[in-house]
Amino acid sequence: MNSSMSRGRFGAHGGQYIPETLMNAVTELEEAYNESKNDPEFQRELNRLLCEYAGRPSRLYFAERMTKELGGAKVYLKREDLNHTGAHKINNVLGQTLLAKRMGKTRVIAETGAGQHGVATATAAAMMGLECEIFMGEEDTRRQALNVYRMKLLGAKVHPVTTGTATLKDAVSETMREWTKRIDDTHYVLGSCMGPHPFPTIVRDYQAVISREIKDQMHEIAGRNPDVVMACVGGGSNAIGTFYHFIENEEVRLIGCEAAGRGISTKETAATIATGRPGIFHGMKSYFCQDEYGQIAPVYSISAGLDYPGIGPEHAWLHDTGRAEYVAVTDDEAVDAFEYLSRTEGIIPAIESAHAVAHAMKLVPTLSSDKLVVITISGRGDKDVAAIARYRGEDLYE
Amino acid sequence: MSDANKRTIRSAFERGKAFIPFITCGDPSLEVTEELVYAMEDAGADLIELGIPFSDPTAEGPVIQSANVRALSGGVTTDKIFDMAGRIRKNTDIPMVFMTYANVVFSYGTDRFLDAARGIGMNGLILPDVPFEEKEEFGTPCREHDMSLISLIAPTSNERIKRIAKDAEGFLYCVSSLGVTGTRSSITTDVGAMIKLVREANPEIPAAIGFGISDPATAGKMAEAADGVIVGSAIVKIIAEYGNKSVKEVADFVKSMKDAIR
């Protein structure tokens, strides 16, 4: 495999597998992004928004009761759930919408799974006076009805996507189709570290604030790096943000927690690293859940945000090189962890983030008490309460 | 080896303007697909695009998306399509290219896919999600297998047209409009200007226009500027409506389109 065959490669992964119609758009985006990186005024404005609007830095909280109960390493929670709009998604969205304005775009479009990225995009669009349209799988509009209404409240138009499995992958496909129809005035705010170059790099850079802060905060607390950082992985944006500044620190274990759904030996799973193989889809080469003929698998997870058949190309590369570990967490384990964190720390995590909590519950007791573990709580769980109640057999609808 | 029993892509453009129909293999069944190929050739088609269905065809509009779903739910696979195309090649020398998505080829194993396609006597491959920047990964093995990887240009290509046209093989697929495949009531792009840039960069390469061409009048207009027209959704729509009885309907339509561009 020739690893230098095109721009935006992470080992063999990444690239720009998109229709010709979009090529000038992604090239223009790459140029604008590179310029903005070296523009102190742009960086100042982005930083101002992250602090004053999104509420950064997010806290690194010592989970004392959880630490005591699990009886192993010290557990810290990186509280991305405390950001404005309730998830890490806003970090990337503020960067990309500011970039869209810089490029003279007046309209943003985005896909959303759980609705968190859609809400964040609608929020930033409202604040910056941009027109906003969100594409969301019809199945997800049912699972996350509250977020649909939030987006509408924020002035966005929400398009339910009925094709395929009517979930996140179909929402991404439909947003790409929409972008090829209308490019001049429109920027596609891609929500995860995936898609064609330069998106995986842009999203990772905007999310890297998470690991930069963890590093500073941990050094302030303990005078050193943590031993383990972990996060849930769908496309993988909060995980790459959590990993990024630690990639060079070989002593720090990086753990991504995928959604196993009903188990990786069943078809009802979304664990891409555990069950997928190399493929090309949604603009990138990476790992994908697919059949022997390359047809993309109809994946499943209780978590709409992790219910995606692929993973960002940088994660695929971190997996290939062995720098990061990827583990699979089932629906049952995630729901248990959702309830556990709520009960033990008074923090209701997003069901996505609960996948990372679930793995921590297994890992932490095996580590000695001088070890430091950071779990990124990528979002808050208010949006999931009704679904979890239904999972537990309570007939609760929003 | 049925390789000898095929004409070149170039030959499709040697009898006046070329008419290039697209159909999705296995919609409604592989048997009907085979019949459609023969009927379209008799009706005047010069080159056939055979679509290998993909679960998530991001460059397609609703009409061809649905055809992909119908074909896949009918149990069609790449191997079954190879078998069918091999049967077709025994009966006709018409130039044929596969149209599918990068993952269908990559996942099968690019060399393995191309070995099979060459063995059948296919002439080329169209991958709408492989732009110029990624072309070498598929273009080089295609050349090694004596197949043309067809390049595409779009209304947004502008200064890219020169590079793409220079490097083009077989024919150049000129996308008429923004957006995905599908029938349109009008085409507003200045296709004449697009084709002029192509001619300047590469006077040898035949240029065919596709996306949104659904009636003889539009086909005629497009053929004035180009060497051929590609029609997919309008045909797939007829197949969706008439199913197993679509062969004659499609043949009549192809004939009317071919007459309009002569």
Side-chain angles (χ1 to χ4, degrees):
Chain A
M1 184 73 55
N2 178 359
S3 63
S4 60
M5 51 194 150
S6 69
R7 289 177 296 176
R9 291 280 166 172
F10 303 92
H13 306 287
Q16 295 180 300
Y17 300 88
I18 47 171
E20 169 61 22
T21 307
L22 290 175
M23 274 311 301
N24 264 329
V26 295
T27 305
E28 178 200 10
L29 175 63
E30 184 179 5
E31 284 163 8
Y33 176 67
N34 287 335
E35 283 168 22
S36 75
K37 271 204 299 199
N38 301 315
D39 177 353
E41 200 159 317
F42 181 91
Q43 294 303 325
R44 222 178 359 258
E45 176 63 1
L46 176 56
N47 199 45
R48 184 187 71 80
L49 290 171
L50 287 171
C51 297
E52 292 175 20
Y53 190 70
R56 299 209 74 87
S58 72
R59 301 295 172 156
L60 186 66
Y61 165 76
F62 175 50
E64 194 174 352
R65 288 198 69 212
M66 191 172 165
T67 298
K68 205 174 274 175
E69 276 200 30
L70 295 177
K74 284 196 177 68
V75 178
Y76 290 84
L77 305 178
K78 180 59 173 167
R79 299 291 308 278
E80 291 300 302
D81 59 314
L82 294 179
N83 296 337
H84 181 42
T85 70
H88 71 292
K89 294 290 186 188
I90 194 79
N91 305 331
N92 167 47
V93 163
L94 287 175
Q96 280 199 48
T97 44
L98 206 57
L99 197 56
K101 274 193 94 162
R102 185 190 167 92
M103 290 189 289
K105 308 284 182 184
T106 54
R107 174 177 177 257
V108 288
I109 55 174
E111 86 293 346
T112 196
Q116 294 304 98
H117 176 60
V119 167
T121 304
T123 299
M127 186 259 293
M128 295 194 199
L130 298 166
E131 200 185 325
C132 178
E133 294 183 38
I134 304 294
F135 295 80
M136 186 173 187
E138 194 179 43
E139 171 67 20
D140 292 336
T141 62
R142 274 193 295 270
R143 289 199 276 191
Q144 302 287 350
L146 201 60
N147 271 342
V148 174
Y149 196 77
R150 285 168 85 193
M151 289 184 265
K152 289 181 183 165
L153 208 53
L154 292 159
K157 198 169 169 190
V158 181
H159 302 277
V161 176
T162 54
T163 51
T165 47
T167 58
L168 181 54
K169 89 171 158 73
D170 310 288
V172 173
S173 296
E174 208 50 42
T175 318
M176 283 185 168
R177 291 184 184 115
E178 175 64 24
W179 203 23
T180 63
K181 275 182 215 158
R182 195 170 153 186
I183 301 167
D184 268 2
D185 66 346
T186 301
H187 173 65
Y188 177 7
V189 183
L190 224 161
S192 193
C193 53
M194 49 157 285
H197 173 70
F199 283 107
T201 299
I202 292 180
V203 176
R204 177 253 278 154
D205 287 353
Y206 287 144
Q207 292 296 357
V209 65
I210 300 174
S211 50
R212 201 166 65 229
E213 287 177 5
I214 294 175
K215 210 170 209 182
D216 289 349
Q217 290 163 327
M218 209 39 137
H219 276 260
E220 194 146 308
I221 295 167
R224 67 177 181 88
N225 282 334
D227 298 287
V228 180
V229 294
M230 51 200 298
C232 63
V233 182
S237 70
N238 95 87
I240 205 71
T242 300
F243 295 171
Y244 186 64
H245 287 285
F246 295 113
I247 292 176
E248 58 179 15
N249 304 119
E250 295 278 343
E251 78 282 5
V252 181
R253 274 177 78 183
L254 315 174
I255 306 179
C257 304
E258 299 191 301
R262 300 208 162 91
I264 57 171
S265 56
T266 73
K267 287 201 162 175
E268 290 173 297
T269 180
T272 307
I273 294 287
T275 67
R277 61 189 175 89
I280 296 169
F281 184 46
H282 280 162
M284 60 181 166
K285 186 175 282 179
S286 186
Y287 288 94
F288 293 95
C289 301
Q290 54 187 313
D291 75 7
E292 60 171 311
Y293 290 106
Q295 307 295 345
I296 302 302
V299 295
Y300 161 82
S301 160
I302 187 173
S303 147
L306 304 182
D307 197 353
Y308 182 72
I311 187 166
E314 192 163 5
H315 285 294
W317 176 71
L318 289 172
H319 168 70
D320 285 352
T321 59
R323 179 62 193 94
E325 306 157 49
Y326 294 86
V327 298
V329 173
T330 64
D331 282 2
D332 284 344
E333 292 170 322
V335 171
D336 286 347
F338 179 92
E339 293 169 341
Y340 174 84
L341 197 68
S342 303
R343 232 175 25 239
T344 312
E345 293 290 350
I347 294 169
I348 303 176
I351 188 64
E352 289 77 19
S353 324
H355 285 70
V357 176
H359 186 67
M361 288 164 66
K362 286 188 249 178
L363 177 71
V364 167
T366 70
L367 302 174
S368 60
S369 61
D370 59 337
K371 299 288 185 199
L372 307 172
V373 172
V374 176
I375 313 166
T376 294
I377 305 299
S378 56
R380 66 178 184 224
D382 310 46
K383 67 181 177 57
D384 300 307
V385 170
I388 300 298
R390 291 197 292 277
Y391 189 84
R392 291 300 189 207
E394 278 187 51
D395 194 18
L396 178 64
Y397 284 83
E398 290 119 346
Chain B
M1 191 86 165
S2 47
D3 215 19
N5 188 25
K6 75 176 181 194
R7 288 186 285 119
T8 59
I9 288 179
R10 182 58 55 111
S11 74
F13 296 89
E14 283 167 356
R15 308 184 300 185
K17 308 285 182 180
F19 183 74
I20 305 174
F22 164 92
I23 52 175
T24 301
C25 295
D27 170 37
S29 70
L30 289 172
E31 291 69 33
V32 174
T33 299
E34 189 176 344
E35 291 306 313
L36 282 166
V37 172
Y38 305 140
M40 291 193 299
E41 184 184 11
D42 289 344
D46 299 288
L47 188 156
I48 308 275
E49 267 186 42
L50 290 176
I52 302 179
F54 181 51
S55 52
D56 301 82
T58 47
E60 313 296 349
V63 171
I64 296 179
Q65 281 181 51
S66 304
N68 282 301
V69 171
R70 286 193 298 272
L72 288 172
S73 27
V76 160
T77 66
T78 306
D79 283 324
K80 290 180 187 172
I81 289 168
F82 286 153
D83 290 345
M84 175 204 69
R87 284 197 303 276
I88 294 175
R89 181 48 89 217
K90 291 202 175 79
N91 295 314
T92 171
D93 62 355
I94 191 168
M96 294 192 292
V97 298
F98 279 134
M99 196 306 335
T100 189
Y101 284 77
N103 201 46
V104 170
V105 178
F106 177 76
S107 171
Y108 195 87
T110 303
D111 282 329
R112 186 175 156 236
F113 183 99
L114 293 171
D115 279 343
R118 175 172 60 182
I120 298 159
M122 295 298 292
N123 298 73
L125 184 61
I126 305 174
L127 300 173
D129 56 347
V130 176
F132 186 75
E133 278 70 3
E134 304 294 350
K135 193 185 163 189
E136 272 326 290
E137 182 177 0
F138 296 96
T140 304
C142 272
R143 271 191 299 277
E144 288 164 9
H145 287 82
D146 198 22
M147 300 253 294
S148 302
L149 180 66
I150 308 299
S151 296
L152 294 93
I153 58 168
T156 50
S157 295
N158 304 326
E159 77 289 350
R160 295 168 54 81
I161 290 179
K162 206 173 156 186
R163 251 182 300 163
I164 298 171
K166 248 187 186 153
D167 211 40
E169 292 163 62
F171 70 92
L172 188 67
Y173 192 133
C174 306
V175 174
S176 75
S177 314
L178 291 181
V180 291
T181 58
T183 55
R184 288 168 172 77
S185 49
S186 68
I187 290 169
T188 54
T189 307
D190 186 352
V191 289
M194 254 169 97
I195 304 277
K196 190 163 167 278
L197 290 173
V198 172
R199 303 275 192 242
E200 282 167 16
N202 186 347
E204 299 298 313
I205 196 80
I209 303 181
F211 276 44
I213 302 169
S214 57
D215 57 71
T218 314
K221 203 167 144 237
M222 291 295 125
E224 283 171 19
D227 303 307
V229 296
I230 305 164
V231 175
S233 296
I235 294 172
V236 172
K237 245 185 197 168
I238 297 172
I239 297 171
E241 189 180 342
Y242 293 95
N244 292 331
K245 296 187 170 59
S246 58
V247 177
K248 185 177 178 300
E249 304 292 331
V250 168
D252 289 349
F253 177 74
V254 168
K255 185 166 186 311
S256 71
M257 296 294 268
K258 176 69 185 180
D259 288 345
I261 65 170
R262 267 181 216 279

